[in-house]
Amino acid sequence: MSESFDFVVVGKGMMGAAAARHLSLAGARVALVGPDEPEDRVNHRGVFASHYDNARITRTIDNDPVWARLARRSIERYRQIAETSGIEFYHEVGCLIAAPAPGGDFDYIERVALARDGLGVEAPLIVGEQLAERFPWFDFPRHYAGIHEARGAGYINPRALVRAQTVAAERLGARVIRSEVVAVDAGTGSVEVSTIDGHRLRGGRVLVAAGGFSLSEALLPRPLDLAVKARTVLFSEVGADDLARFGGMPSLISAASDQHQSYYLLPPVVYADGKHYIKIGGDPIDRVLAHEASVREWFRGSASAEAAAHMRGLLAGVMPGFEPKSTHFSPCVTTFTRHGYPYIGFAGDRIAVLTGGNGQAAKSSDEIGRLGTVLALNGRLDAGEYETDFAVAYR
């Protein structure tokens, strides 16, 4: 026997949980479907999610005005989400973007400044010796400058954010089903969603927000033009007696014309084992995972030792005075669209898609979920305030 809803959201990740909350706020009958994080990653045979982590950078400043606006609108609602759910997930430690100073061939920092000015964000440009004085934890090349956003920036706990969005949606009346979806079938007047443990749900419309698992042929009627790339993340433990000297350290994004020298880095964050880790990411090469099976296999694996070694070198270069107590590395994925913005559109008459974080979406997921809600409610997306239409591209 099936249950009926106005909308079924497939994928209980950052975008899907946000969409479920916004649909529930609109008064719709909503089901949010997706499994919880597996306890045993290596032996888990089901789907995974990239939000299985405790820290992602959040900031408004960006070299792209669309992503800057998506972030700004999400950040403005963080407090509302936390108060509605009772779950804290945001840490306002600030964010520094460092790159070659203005005037050279690589204009990243200039584009960040343009996006900053377009939204009226307070984030001054810091150059020369002032950069080293303000941020003594880091050792940048002499020709670098930084743009520092002290307020409305820092990092979020993506695990906690998904819990907060899910709890908020439940309190608004949403039905949460913690199970993996194995089929989405369009019928006459509705869509049926089936789960691995036998749930059958009917929705007037279905919104598929499955991240890298949007590659699954079981979820969408047409294959997306989506590149799912394997990522490795390095965690460096900060000893308890060393923590105090990192007080005030912001999140960091360091951009260079060469991908090998670009990376992101977070201040010490506590994880489930009670230890604090500085996290760094910045894969030197791209590895595309072409099929859903390869995405599952990557998540079950141990990630790339070569990429982790590269990141150890990056960390040693920017923080030469830091000696980790221990290190380990883990797998993740990043999902890229053809145009570099999320896909928000219909893949069929009643099946819509919401995916494509492009390495930028954790901080912006609430606004992306809201746009998915607009699409699901109205049957079309009018996003005139953005400089793109978020159109879905297919293979």
Side-chain angles (χ1 to χ4, degrees):
M1 186 173 179
S2 64
E3 302 176 71
S4 295
F5 302 88
D6 298 323
F7 302 96
V8 178
V9 179
V10 175
K12 190 169 62 65
M14 284 181 281
M15 293 184 191
R21 183 179 75 87
H22 283 285
L23 284 167
S24 300
L25 275 170
R29 292 175 298 128
V30 181
L32 173 62
V33 192
D36 289 334
E37 182 175 351
E39 294 183 5
D40 182 356
R41 176 177 60 84
V42 174
N43 294 306
H44 177 62
R45 313 315 293 179
V47 297
F48 295 83
S50 292
H51 74 263
Y52 299 160
D53 192 9
N54 281 19
R56 294 290 177 82
I57 293 176
T58 185
R59 87 281 183 189
T60 301
I61 51 176
D62 197 281
N63 68 320
D64 186 296
V66 174
W67 282 109
R69 190 173 298 277
L70 288 168
R72 177 69 171 270
R73 293 190 171 183
S74 295
I75 293 166
E76 289 173 346
R77 292 193 286 267
Y78 284 176
R79 177 46 45 200
Q80 175 192 358
I81 298 166
E83 290 176 351
T84 301
S85 65
I87 297 172
E88 295 292 338
F89 57 86
Y90 170 46
H91 302 265
E92 193 180 49
V93 300
C95 180
L96 172 67
I97 292 183
D105 295 334
F106 186 57
D107 66 346
Y108 186 94
I109 207 82
E110 288 96 329
R111 287 182 283 127
V112 171
L114 285 173
R116 173 202 64 188
D117 296 343
L119 290 176
V121 176
E122 184 179 351
L125 177 69
I126 304 169
V127 297
E129 294 181 358
Q130 291 182 337
L131 194 61
E133 292 171 0
R134 289 280 301 277
F135 307 100
W137 310 277
F138 308 129
D139 186 7
F140 298 113
R142 289 189 175 183
H143 65 289
Y144 266 45
I147 290 182
H148 181 224
E149 185 176 10
R151 302 296 302 273
Y155 68 90
I156 57 171
N157 180 328
R159 285 184 172 112
L161 174 56
V162 169
R163 289 198 303 272
Q165 296 279 29
T166 302
V167 167
E170 284 185 295
R171 290 180 177 176
L172 290 164
R175 170 103 151 88
V176 178
I177 298 170
R178 291 170 167 82
S179 183
E180 179 180 340
V181 172
V182 294
V184 177
D185 300 305
T188 302
S190 66
V191 182
E192 183 172 277
V193 175
S194 304
T195 71
I196 197 167
D197 56 359
H199 284 92
R200 292 174 59 201
L201 315 167
R202 289 192 176 275
R205 285 178 175 149
V206 168
L207 184 61
V208 176
F213 288 89
S214 301
L215 291 176
S216 171
E217 296 179 358
L219 301 183
L220 294 168
R222 302 171 62 186
L224 303 177
D225 183 359
L226 203 62
V228 180
K229 298 181 180 181
R231 294 290 187 245
T232 296
V233 183
L234 177 70
F235 297 88
S236 298
E237 182 186 355
V238 179
D241 56 352
D242 203 22
L243 272 176
R245 72 184 181 94
F246 294 101
M249 176 177 162
S251 297
L252 169 66
I253 296 170
S254 183
S257 57
D258 182 359
Q259 178 181 337
H260 286 69
Q261 299 303 315
S262 295
Y263 58 89
Y264 67 88
L265 184 152
L266 289 108
V269 173
V270 65
Y271 277 76
D273 61 3
K275 299 176 181 179
H276 288 76
Y277 296 95
I278 289 176
K279 186 180 88 168
I280 184 171
D283 287 65
I285 60 172
D286 286 332
R287 174 184 172 183
V288 177
L289 305 172
H291 307 287
E292 185 203 20
S294 59
V295 178
R296 294 184 192 230
E297 181 181 1
W298 173 255
F299 270 114
R300 287 195 297 266
S302 57
S304 168
E306 293 78 12
H310 173 73
M311 283 176 244
R312 287 190 185 94
L314 292 174
L315 182 62
V318 72
M319 299 184 69
F322 170 51
E323 295 185 6
K325 188 174 181 180
S326 70
T327 64
H328 68 274
F329 52 95
S330 299
C332 190
V333 303
T334 305
T335 305
F336 292 89
T337 61
R338 182 187 295 177
H339 49 48
Y341 303 114
Y343 285 155
I344 310 174
F346 278 92
D349 290 341
R350 293 180 176 273
I351 302 174
V353 62
L354 182 66
T355 193
N358 297 276
Q360 303 249 46
K363 66 185 184 301
S364 307
S365 56
D366 190 68
E367 175 67 1
I368 297 169
R370 186 192 70 82
L371 293 173
T373 293
V374 172
L375 173 74
L377 288 170
N378 299 335
R380 62 183 180 84
L381 177 61
D382 181 5
E385 70 269 39
Y386 290 96
E387 298 172 19
T388 182
D389 59 5
F390 302 104
V392 183
Y394 301 94
R395 293 180 190 170

